[in-house]
Amino acid sequence: QSVLTQPPSASGTPGQRVTISCSGSSSNIGSNYVYWYQQLPGTAPKLLIYRNNQRPSGVPDRFSGSKSGTSASLAISGLRSEDEADYYCAAWDDSLSGLYVFGTGTKVTVL
Amino acid sequence: QVQLQESGPGLVKPSETLSLTCTVSGGSISSYYWSWIRQPPGKGLEWIGYIYYSGSTNYNPSLKSRVTISVDTSKNQFSLKLSSVTAADTAVYYCARGVTGTAPYYYYYYMDVWGKGTTVTVSS
């Protein structure tokens, strides 16, 4: 089902910078905004980044998003233990009558 | 502060219809797009669809033949019905508030407030 591809895992030590990639196509990332959601263990997803690089109120500026062509990335700088979670990219897809697609998800581990 | 709460049976038999309700508190259901998302055990997120408070809907094509989302503005609730369920429909079901618009270049849609989720198991 997932049309947005992410690496299954990423890791870093506290204080490091971790980057997660999200690869899509011209019908989704290439022609729409990208969003990122953080899912802490056992909880509901939380909006982390909207419209490529905007942070909702309360999200630390350690989290940043970017987009180029049909790919996007999420960067976490100054990695902290509480950042250990699953991260999902998402975008609207213009194929068929339109649908919202999520990435395959990336598990971030703080070593 | 808007809060969402899912409710409904945690166990549904194969071939029957899954029915869930999401109650919106702390704000009006008018405006915004109200969405359903699911997550099978140990797997990723899947968007099911949304409804605008006026009643217009958009469903994931892969589920469209089995899904109905409705809204009851008088109760500040919206609901999900998924028919002919199988074990593959076993998942945590989330309701969420959707924000949409067009600016400055593209249409945008994202979920900014989520419920805690409810687990639905399909089993006889």
Side-chain angles (χ1 to χ4, degrees), chain A residues 1-2 30-33 35 37 39 43-47 50-51 67 88 92 96-100 102-104, chain B residues 37 39 43-47 50 58-62 94 103-112 114-116:
Chain A
Q1 170 71 34
S2 295
S31 54
N32 288 288
Y33 290 109
Y35 309 89
Y37 298 88
Q39 188 174 31
T43 69
K46 167 191 167 185
L47 179 67
Y50 67 99
R51 284 166 50 184
K67 168 188 153 176
Y88 294 91
W92 189 258
L96 301 173
S97 58
L99 75 157
Y100 199 68
F102 288 98
T104 50
Chain B
I37 305 95
Q39 184 172 35
K43 296 188 178 181
L45 301 167
E46 180 179 33
W47 178 76
Y50 66 57
N58 192 352
Y59 301 138
N60 188 321
S62 69
Y94 297 100
Y105 306 110
Y106 309 125
Y107 166 77
Y108 62 84
Y109 167 80
Y110 58 92
M111 282 74 76
D112 68 339
W114 293 62
K116 292 183 178 180

Side-chain angles (χ1 to χ4, degrees), chain A residues 29 32-37 47-57 59-68 71-75 89-90, chain B residues 103-106 108 110:
Chain A
I29 293 178
N32 288 288
Y33 290 109
V34 178
Y35 309 89
W36 290 90
Y37 298 88
L47 179 67
L48 201 62
I49 297 287
Y50 67 99
R51 284 166 50 184
N52 296 343
N53 55 20
Q54 303 299 301
R55 284 186 306 276
S57 174
V59 173
D61 60 7
R62 301 185 295 104
F63 295 92
S64 61
S66 63
K67 168 188 153 176
S68 178
S71 294
S73 62
L74 174 72
C89 60
Chain B
Y105 306 110
Y106 309 125
Y108 62 84
Y110 58 92

